[in-house]
Amino acid sequence: MALNAFASLLCKSSIFVASRQLSSISSLERCIPLNKVREQLMTIAGSSGTPFEVRDCAALTEALAREQQLGSQPLAKPMSASYQEALLSLRTQAGLSVKYVNTHNGIRIGRLLEDLDILGVLISYRHAWQPHWAERAPVTIVTAFVDGVCVHTPIIPANRDLRLSGFVSWVGSSSIEVTMKIEQQADEDGAAGVAWTPVLDATFVNAARHPLENSRQAEPPAAESAADREIFQRGERAKAYRLQQASQSVLSVVPRNEEIAKIHRMFLDTIDPKSFTFSRRRLPAGSVWLRDTMLKTAHLCHPEQMNVYCKVFGGFLMRKALETAWICAFAHCRRQPVLLEVKDVSFRAPVELGSLLFLSSQVTCSHGRRCVVRVHAEVLQPDSGLRTTTNDFYFVFAPEAAAQAGEDCVPDAPQVVPRSYSEAMLHIDGMRKLTEA
């Protein structure tokens, strides 16, 4: 189900409405200032926030032994029990506005992705928390995948408060899907009782881990209504879709016949049929070679960017990838772009503090005014020269004028043309991201 359709389904659910009136099932408040989210998470995870901290394995072992000794079954909770809100007061806190504002007086969506990442983990802990646990959770929860982000308002005003909220909508064996949204106060004066306008929907998939081993079983949420059951079934379909997409990856199987035919037509457009040679290639009018869209950045990962587990914060990686992709799209479209969607973000390996992080962005596909930018993240070990892939990101952009006034007023983005077989596979991969529901 597409995120736009899913947004209307959420409106039918009681979770985002009734949960604000429920009594708290834990020490967490239903609505907290956004700057308190990290503090709450550090307390639950048992982190001091000290760089290069070694986790107290003895304390974790004791907590796990206590849980096994009790032998109690995990408490089944409804979806609404995990509901959490966080308020970002941009209207009254000028310091926050400076942090979040971009060059055209809108909100930096990369900052919001950082906030959603940490809020999603807190929501997952709220769902997993059991009454017999002491001060810290004997479980580790990390971000594993971003299933999608749909931006309803590409240019978000920076002078109005934002409300971030979400709940656990599906649980697999150890995976925890968190459905979140961001709303903005419709009245910039901040009058009481004003409406909140949705600006962004997101689905994050987190992973529950045994602190000393690998995965850990997570308890599914209980559905309270037909709409809640549909939300959970949507999570089941999303998992099946992810598995299907992975099985059809161009890294695993031959592309479809229609995809191969399109690549061949693009190849024929780059040669002179009268020359009878494969070596002389020409670029069609209004096009660029895919390889020429490449843009790379490098970063040294400081303790400032660490998460509660003393690894590099996944939200920081998403923000840096988005900013790199935005520059890449700007250079390609020659117009200031806005983000429409985040298609997929995979977290394949943790990034250690002190890592040399390399981000490589490319426009892999463009259609009309929209283009897909893929960002590949890898870390380098200087002593051995070994490079390890940590993340893949996919972003969909359009020129700002097209997003505001309609696409007819803006010319198409230049078409990207692959020149090698590997670039052709990148192009097919990008086409799928652009056309999939």
Side-chain angles (χ1 to χ4, degrees):
M1 182 188 301
L3 277 173
N4 285 335
F6 187 48
S8 62
L9 173 63
L10 293 179
C11 295
K12 302 175 185 177
S13 173
S14 62
I15 295 173
F16 278 123
V17 179
S19 292
R20 302 190 184 104
Q21 285 75 45
L22 292 177
S23 59
S24 176
I25 64 167
S26 71
S27 60
L28 290 175
E29 298 178 2
R30 286 288 172 178
C31 183
I32 59 177
L34 187 59
N35 59 1
K36 297 294 183 183
V37 172
R38 181 178 175 84
E39 295 178 14
Q40 296 275 15
L41 186 55
M42 290 176 63
T43 301
I44 293 173
S47 172
S48 66
T50 303
F52 308 106
E53 174 187 21
V54 178
R55 300 199 74 185
D56 188 351
C57 294
L60 288 171
T61 302
E62 182 181 349
L64 291 167
R66 187 187 312 114
E67 184 178 16
Q68 292 174 354
Q69 184 178 5
L70 290 172
S72 59
Q73 292 293 325
L75 176 67
K77 302 176 184 178
M79 288 184 182
S80 57
S82 63
Y83 180 84
Q84 183 68 56
E85 288 182 6
L87 188 64
L88 180 57
S89 302
L90 295 173
R91 184 180 58 84
T92 56
Q93 299 183 27
L96 282 178
S97 297
V98 173
K99 177 182 176 182
Y100 281 85
V101 71
N102 58 27
T103 56
H104 49 278
N105 204 32
I107 294 294
R108 296 169 62 184
I109 294 182
R111 289 289 188 190
L112 298 182
L113 293 180
E114 286 185 316
D115 297 333
L116 286 173
D117 182 51
I118 195 168
L119 179 63
V121 175
L122 180 64
I123 290 171
S124 298
Y125 270 117
R126 174 186 272 279
H127 171 78
W129 191 268
Q130 296 299 315
H132 60 272
W133 288 359
E135 295 181 356
R136 64 181 299 175
V139 61
T140 297
I141 298 177
V142 297
T143 306
F145 193 78
V146 178
D147 203 16
V149 176
C150 182
V151 182
H152 305 302
T153 308
I155 301 177
I156 305 172
N159 60 345
R160 303 177 190 175
D161 292 349
L162 291 171
R163 183 172 66 194
L164 293 71
S165 59
F167 63 96
V168 170
S169 51
W170 173 84
V171 170
S173 57
S174 62
S175 300
I176 303 174
E177 179 190 84
V178 182
T179 296
M180 293 179 284
K181 69 177 180 178
I182 299 179
E183 302 164 289
Q184 186 164 51
Q185 210 162 24
D187 186 353
E188 63 182 71
D189 294 330
V194 300
W196 291 83
T197 303
V199 297
L200 183 152
D201 293 315
T203 304
F204 282 53
V205 179
N206 298 327
R209 294 286 182 261
H210 189 294
L212 307 178
E213 298 176 8
N214 292 321
S215 62
R216 176 188 171 100
Q217 180 68 40
E219 188 71 14
E224 298 177 300
S225 64
D228 295 350
R229 286 189 290 273
E230 173 59 23
I231 290 173
F232 188 86
Q233 291 168 5
R234 182 259 182 190
E236 293 282 359
R237 293 193 295 270
K239 177 188 176 183
Y241 182 74
R242 289 195 297 270
L243 293 174
Q244 178 191 26
Q245 291 298 99
S247 67
Q248 297 177 355
S249 168
V250 292
L251 294 175
S252 304
V253 298
V254 177
R256 307 179 188 108
N257 290 337
E258 61 271 19
E259 294 171 334
I260 295 175
K262 180 179 179 181
I263 291 297
H264 189 69
R265 289 195 300 270
M266 296 180 73
F267 167 74
L268 293 178
D269 289 339
T270 64
I271 62 172
D272 184 355
K274 299 179 181 178
S275 65
F276 299 101
T277 179
F278 292 96
S279 59
R280 297 177 193 155
R281 306 286 295 278
R282 63 182 184 183
L283 193 60
S287 303
V288 296
W289 295 117
L290 191 150
R291 66 183 60 176
D292 291 338
T293 68
M294 172 74 75
L295 184 143
K296 296 183 179 182
T297 59
H299 308 271
L300 176 61
C301 299
H302 296 282
E304 179 186 2
Q305 287 99 38
M306 72 177 183
N307 60 16
V308 296
Y309 312 115
C310 296
K311 308 292 183 182
V312 175
F313 177 38
F316 166 78
L317 299 176
M318 283 192 285
R319 176 168 65 85
K320 284 300 181 183
L322 173 56
E323 291 171 353
T324 301
W326 186 89
I327 298 171
C328 183
F330 199 168
H332 176 71
C333 297
R334 303 187 186 96
R335 291 171 179 82
Q336 187 161 277
V338 291
L339 179 68
L340 300 181
E341 292 181 85
V342 181
K343 281 295 187 179
D344 293 313
V345 176
S346 58
F347 292 83
R348 305 185 185 279
V351 178
E352 303 291 340
L353 297 179
S355 295
L356 301 181
L357 175 68
F358 292 86
L359 300 176
S360 303
S361 63
Q362 280 183 295
V363 179
T364 60
C365 174
S366 60
H367 180 74
R369 285 85 178 172
R370 297 186 298 162
C371 66
V372 176
V373 179
R374 176 181 182 267
V375 180
H376 177 76
E378 57 185 4
V379 294
L380 169 67
Q381 298 179 7
D383 53 346
S384 64
L386 178 66
R387 289 177 179 258
T388 303
T389 296
T390 59
N391 305 83
D392 288 305
F393 309 84
Y394 293 88
F395 304 100
V396 180
F397 293 95
E400 178 181 335
Q404 285 185 313
E407 297 194 350
D408 292 339
C409 66
V410 178
D412 290 351
Q415 294 295 306
V416 290
V417 180
R419 191 161 186 164
S420 66
Y421 188 82
S422 61
E423 290 177 359
M425 297 302 100
L426 279 173
H427 184 73
I428 290 174
D429 189 44
M431 286 193 298
R432 291 179 180 179
K433 301 299 180 186
L434 197 58
T435 57
E436 67 186 11

